[in-house]
């Protein structure tokens, strides 16, 4: 699906985006990409970057894994959250961020970092929206509960992961567009690795990810993706789910086509 945007939100997404059909009410389509790692990666340090435009205005998981310790990045009504539990209890890590994602006509760029080796509790999960570092908030849904030092989340474990779902193949699914997904295993990176501010327009724009620091598990010729790292541009240059990082971490499309 081709999609471009240069409008008021000040963001721009490249010529390709994949349409996911889901939401908590669309239980017949449930389009996700699924993968279970054959080799586990770092469960304490990773970076997720993606451009997205929401469709259905409800809880929409961008990326998740429901394992012993769940990890889910999702939009909820009009905010970004990351949860370490399957419910609203405070038994596990749970954070909400502002500003809220209210414009359904524009693309947003999200970067979420897990970095639990950090000695400062409120630096162990970090989030950028359209290039700006955002501040965690308490809401009617959650009270902030930072992960403990060296906490091991579900992402990068040997359990099913989903793009467009929580990872359990059930409950709720993402509805909207996604593009230019980079997942970096073993490094905590900021938004400048994935985007830049256009000096003429002030718009936040995507750029090709490049890194000179190796990640554990990089294959020959790959620098900075790591054991479970992957790149999914969704620009039509490869089959849906084909990893283009060089790591070979392909995803299986579920319910696309037909």
């Amino acid at each position: 699906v081709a999609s471009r945007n240069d409008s008021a939100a000040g963001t721009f997404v490249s010529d390709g985006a994949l349409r996911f059909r889901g939401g908590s009410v669309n239980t017949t389509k449930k389009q996700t990409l699924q993968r279970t790692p054959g080799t586990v990666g770092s469960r304490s340090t990773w970076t997720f970057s993606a451009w997205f435009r929401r469709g259905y205005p409800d809880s929409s998981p961008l990326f998740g894994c429901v394992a012993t310790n769940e990890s889910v990045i999702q939009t909820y009504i009009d905010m970004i959250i990351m949860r370490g539990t399957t419910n609203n209890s405070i038994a596990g890590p749970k954070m909400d961020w502002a500003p809220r994602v209210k414009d359904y006509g524009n693309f947003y760029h999200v970067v979420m970092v897990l970095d639990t080796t950090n000695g400062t509790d409120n630096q162990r999960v970090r989030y950028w929206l359209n290039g700006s570092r955002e501040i965690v908030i308490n809401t009617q849904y959650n009270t902030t509960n930072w992960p403990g030092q060296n906490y091991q989340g579900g992402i990068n474990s040997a359990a099913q992961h989903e793009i467009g779902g929580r990872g359990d193949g059930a409950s709720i699914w993402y509805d909207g567009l996604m593009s230019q997904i980079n997942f970096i295993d073993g490094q905590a990176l900021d938004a400048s690795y994935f985007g830049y501010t256009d000096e003429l327009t002030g718009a936040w724009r995507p750029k090709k990810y490049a890194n000179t620091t190796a990640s554990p598990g990089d294959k020959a010729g790959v620098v900075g993706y790591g054991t479970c790292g992957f790149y999914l541009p969704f620009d039509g240059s490869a089959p849906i789910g084909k990893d283009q990082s060089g790591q070979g971490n392909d995803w299986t499309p579920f319910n696309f086509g037909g």
Side-chain angles (χ1 to χ4, degrees):
V1 178
S3 187
R4 295 181 69 95
N5 192 286
D6 277 302
S7 54
T11 59
F12 170 95
V13 73
S14 57
D15 283 330
L18 182 62
R19 178 69 165 97
F20 291 77
R21 300 188 185 278
S24 61
V25 297
N26 186 357
T27 59
T28 59
K29 195 62 177 176
K30 300 181 293 190
Q31 292 176 316
T32 67
L33 302 179
Q34 301 176 350
R35 179 176 182 268
T36 300
T39 303
V40 301
S42 174
R43 294 171 56 197
S44 61
T45 307
W46 49 256
T47 303
F48 174 84
S49 168
W51 292 76
F52 71 96
R53 190 179 80 187
R54 293 178 61 192
Y56 185 76
D58 200 348
S59 181
S60 294
L62 299 174
F63 178 50
C65 174
V66 176
T68 302
N69 292 327
E70 176 191 10
S71 298
V72 179
I73 301 167
Q74 65 187 76
T75 62
Y76 189 87
I77 310 300
D78 54 1
M79 68 185 73
I80 294 285
I81 71 174
M82 179 172 173
R83 291 184 176 178
T85 57
T86 55
N87 53 49
N88 285 331
S89 73
I90 59 171
K94 193 183 291 91
M95 287 69 62
D96 294 349
W97 280 269
R100 303 186 174 196
V101 181
K102 294 183 176 180
D103 192 337
Y104 293 86
N106 290 308
F107 274 88
Y108 291 86
H109 179 225
V110 59
V111 174
M112 187 73 76
V113 166
L114 183 71
D115 182 21
T116 66
T117 61
N118 197 299
T120 304
D121 60 357
N122 65 6
Q123 299 297 307
R124 292 175 193 150
V125 180
R126 303 191 289 278
Y127 159 61
W128 288 259
L129 186 68
N130 293 346
S132 296
R133 173 80 182 273
E134 304 301 338
I135 305 301
V136 72
I137 58 172
N138 292 327
T139 71
Q140 61 179 312
Y141 306 105
N142 295 318
T143 299
T144 300
N145 189 21
W146 296 103
Q149 191 166 20
N150 299 316
Y151 171 82
Q152 301 285 296
I155 287 175
N156 286 337
S157 67
Q160 178 172 283
H161 293 54
E162 284 186 311
I163 296 170
R166 296 194 322 176
D168 55 2
S171 184
I172 53 176
W173 300 270
Y174 176 70
D175 187 271
L177 296 164
M178 273 198 271
S179 178
Q180 296 294 321
I181 300 178
N182 279 283
F183 181 76
I184 314 303
D185 178 4
Q187 295 192 51
L189 306 178
D190 62 39
S192 68
Y193 282 82
F194 311 100
Y196 71 100
T197 300
D198 188 307
E199 293 183 357
L200 294 178
T201 66
W204 182 250
R205 298 181 180 271
K207 72 178 184 183
K208 184 175 178 60
Y209 167 67
N211 200 337
T212 58
T213 301
S215 285
D218 278 345
K219 292 188 175 180
V222 178
V223 179
Y225 273 100
T227 300
C228 293
F230 58 89
Y231 172 46
L232 302 174
F234 299 138
D235 59 2
S237 62
I240 295 173
K242 180 69 174 178
D243 175 23
Q244 297 189 59
S245 71
Q247 288 294 100
N249 292 324
D250 298 336
W251 291 72
T252 300
F254 179 77
N255 253 343
F256 285 94

